Amino acid sequence: MKSFLRLTGYEFRKICMQPIALILLVLFGIYGISTYYNVNMKNTPEEYQLYEHIGGSLTEENYNILKKYATADTQQPVASDGVGDNEWIPTEMVEVTEWGETYSKYVLESAFSRAENILKSEENRQRVMAQAQENIRKLENDPDQKYDYRYNQMIYRQYAGRGEQLMMNYYGWTNYLEFNSVMRPVNLFDLTAFLLCIFALCTVFARDYENGIIPILHTSYRGRSTLYFAKILAGILFSALSLAILRILMIVTLMTNCDMSYVTAPVQSLGFYQNCPYNMSILQMIFFQYGVKLLFIVFLFLITILLGILAKRIIISLIGSFVGLAGMTALALRSDAGFYFEIITNQMPAPPDGQNYTSFWYENTMKIFNPAMVMRLNDYLEQYDYVNVLGFPVSRMALMISFMVLLIVVLLIVTHEIYVRQGGGMPRIWERKKGSTSEQPSAHTA
């Protein structure tokens, strides 16, 4: 085991010390921080001050104060030149005597709207739980409705176990946890992480072929299987480290715009995750997203390995991996590309206004069988999306992750078998003498 770990450490250092890996890590890190900081929504000092009073659990007192000042008609006409008599000052300030502070009407209205959403969400939670309990009683003795019975049981458990939504200013969290398009800063960070790993890991196997040392490695005791798994483990460690570094840079940038004291709040406290079917905290969501993205990088790494072993050229492995990433990502981010092509070529009319990606029939298939859907995790997290699998409700996200794990296992088996059987000629069979470090052939000399 010690020798295997030393070999893995050697392979890991080979990957990390590549100039291209170090250069791209620095460049992508600087680019990501700059993009994220400039695009990210920022809290104002006024908002920080307001949430010092109302942050945390929504109390009846704070709700009544917000309602009093947010709904009061205290706007004044603008008397300045160039503005109509009926227009209003958008930055009107309101003095909240209960707190001894002055806030803009817009900030108070936004906070009151958030409080209203929390109350409505709690009412909806109670209603759904009551309906689920009623459905369970009706279906428990019906053998033909097993799926509906289990689905209602799952709904009740998830809503019953949901944590209390907190009053918090979620500006700053928006672009970190929300996955809507490739232009989101978090997706830009992830794309740079994918590209970094492709550039750094395309050499792991292909370089040995280009340097002509594969025949030597394959005839050594530490060749073939042992070396294969050492390289695999080194590549996974590099992927985990590079993605972690970029994610940490994102969180450091996030800390300048976000109240990190609410990192353990339920993810439903964020407005765009109010209907999230999974009960987890914001911190757990961060680790979950990291784990899913790392799984996708490992999948890309194995594709790169397969191309490198088959083509035996770094440039082919690099280009093939990049094309695969671009193709899968394009399908995930815009799965209706075929429809747009038909529209552009005038083969079919344009869809009605407002029709988007989720309106096409193969969207559900794409959600399960395209690993690059990790770029659109929000599609799985905004609402309940379950399918009937042998009478049990299973989320499409779980199916997508399971399919990606299956592909990883298949790629591991295929690449391992190809790698250990390459080398040409009759394979050697080696045996180690007891108490000796020498290696001697027992049959079949090359």
Side-chain angles (χ1 to χ4, degrees):
M1 177 59 71
K2 289 183 178 179
S3 60
F4 174 75
L5 294 178
R6 284 197 298 268
L7 183 58
T8 302
Y10 170 73
E11 293 293 336
F12 178 73
R13 289 191 296 273
K14 281 172 57 179
I15 299 172
C16 292
M17 296 310 294
Q18 294 179 98
I20 186 66
L22 298 175
I23 292 172
L24 289 180
L25 181 60
V26 173
L27 290 179
F28 287 160
I30 294 174
Y31 169 75
I33 290 176
S34 174
T35 302
Y36 190 69
Y37 185 81
N38 291 331
V39 176
N40 197 11
M41 301 174 67
K42 299 176 177 61
N43 296 312
T44 65
E46 186 181 0
E47 290 167 327
Y48 276 119
Q49 186 182 54
L50 174 62
Y51 279 93
E52 286 183 358
H53 290 288
I54 65 174
S57 300
L58 177 62
T59 64
E60 183 178 359
E61 178 186 2
N62 286 337
Y63 175 79
N64 291 331
I65 293 174
L66 287 172
K67 183 178 181 180
K68 173 183 176 181
Y69 291 97
T71 60
D73 185 12
T74 57
Q75 295 174 324
Q76 299 297 324
V78 176
S80 60
D81 295 336
V83 180
D85 294 338
N86 295 325
E87 296 189 18
W88 306 95
I89 301 176
T91 57
E92 175 195 359
M93 305 302 292
V94 178
E95 182 180 359
V96 182
T97 56
E98 289 85 348
W99 297 332
E101 301 289 349
T102 301
Y103 303 97
S104 71
K105 188 70 176 295
Y106 172 76
V107 170
L108 291 173
E109 289 174 343
S110 298
F112 178 65
S113 175
R114 175 65 185 136
E116 289 271 85
N117 288 336
I118 289 178
L119 292 179
K120 291 178 181 177
S121 179
E122 178 60 23
E123 292 176 0
N124 181 67
R125 187 178 78 91
Q126 297 295 334
R127 180 185 60 80
V128 171
M129 289 173 58
Q131 184 63 55
Q133 283 184 311
E134 182 180 350
N135 293 341
I136 290 171
R137 286 193 296 269
K138 291 180 180 178
L139 299 171
E140 60 182 347
N141 296 321
D142 189 348
D144 297 328
Q145 301 290 333
K146 284 297 183 182
Y147 172 78
D148 292 334
Y149 174 72
R150 290 163 179 159
Y151 182 79
N152 279 275
Q153 282 185 317
M154 180 198 69
I155 292 293
Y156 180 80
R157 287 194 301 268
Q158 290 180 341
Y159 272 87
R162 184 156 295 179
E164 178 189 11
Q165 293 187 37
L166 303 181
M167 286 290 294
M168 57 177 289
N169 194 337
Y170 48 80
Y171 286 164
W173 294 110
T174 301
N175 285 321
Y176 186 84
L177 292 176
E178 188 175 9
F179 289 74
N180 279 337
S181 70
V182 70
M183 296 310 297
R184 289 290 178 181
V186 65
N187 278 341
L188 291 176
F189 257 58
D190 290 331
L191 283 175
T192 55
F194 299 160
L195 292 175
L196 167 64
C197 290
I198 286 177
F199 274 97
L201 300 176
C202 68
T203 64
V204 171
F205 284 84
R207 177 164 290 170
D208 291 343
Y209 286 99
E210 287 193 354
N211 292 337
I213 63 173
I214 284 295
I216 299 175
L217 295 175
H218 277 183
T219 57
S220 67
Y221 180 77
R222 292 299 175 188
R224 304 201 180 199
S225 286
T226 305
L227 182 61
Y228 172 84
F229 288 110
K231 287 177 176 289
I232 290 291
L233 181 56
I236 293 175
L237 291 175
F238 176 83
S239 301
L241 179 63
S242 59
L243 184 60
I245 290 175
L246 292 175
R247 288 274 164 169
I248 290 172
L249 292 177
M250 291 179 66
I251 293 177
V252 170
T253 309
L254 181 71
M255 291 172 65
T256 64
N257 303 321
C258 226
D259 189 349
M260 300 298 290
S261 63
Y262 292 106
V263 72
T264 57
V267 73
Q268 285 82 12
S269 297
L270 305 177
F272 46 84
Y273 278 132
Q274 276 193 340
N275 297 318
C276 179
Y278 306 103
N279 297 331
M280 60 177 69
S281 67
I282 297 174
L283 182 61
Q284 289 172 323
M285 180 69 79
I286 291 174
F287 280 103
F288 171 76
Q289 291 180 355
Y290 171 82
V292 175
K293 292 302 178 74
L294 178 58
L295 198 63
F296 182 62
I297 291 181
V298 172
F299 168 71
L300 289 177
F301 175 37
L302 291 173
I303 292 178
T304 304
I305 289 175
L306 180 61
L307 294 172
I309 293 175
L310 294 176
K312 301 180 177 61
R313 292 293 183 272
I314 294 176
I315 188 63
I316 297 178
S317 176
L318 174 62
I319 294 175
S321 302
F322 178 78
V323 170
L325 172 62
M328 288 186 295
T329 304
L331 288 173
L333 296 173
R334 186 58 64 184
S335 68
D336 50 341
F339 284 85
Y340 279 108
F341 177 78
E342 292 177 350
I343 293 171
I344 293 171
T345 56
N346 296 320
Q347 296 180 22
M348 65 174 292
D353 293 339
Q355 191 175 28
N356 56 24
Y357 158 84
T358 58
S359 63
F360 296 103
W361 64 268
Y362 51 83
E363 178 262 345
N364 289 335
T365 302
M366 188 65 59
K367 274 188 171 184
I368 296 175
F369 297 107
N370 185 1
M373 282 298 295
V374 298
M375 299 295 289
R376 294 193 65 101
L377 282 183
N378 226 37
D379 286 358
Y380 304 95
L381 301 173
E382 288 179 337
Q383 58 189 353
Y384 283 78
D385 190 2
Y386 286 77
V387 294
N388 187 344
V389 178
L390 301 177
F392 292 88
V394 181
S395 71
R396 280 193 169 86
M397 182 171 64
L399 292 175
M400 182 270 291
I401 294 175
S402 300
F403 181 68
M404 184 159 50
V405 171
L406 176 62
L407 291 178
I408 289 174
V409 172
V410 171
L411 286 171
L412 276 172
I413 295 173
V414 171
T415 53
H416 175 266
E417 290 302 309
I418 295 176
Y419 182 73
V420 299
R421 294 180 185 278
Q422 281 182 346
M426 190 69 68
R428 288 187 174 187
I429 302 174
W430 297 90
E431 62 178 10
R432 294 177 66 89
K433 290 184 177 180
K434 185 176 181 181
S436 172
T437 58
S438 62
E439 300 167 354
Q440 295 186 5
S442 59
H444 304 303
T445 58

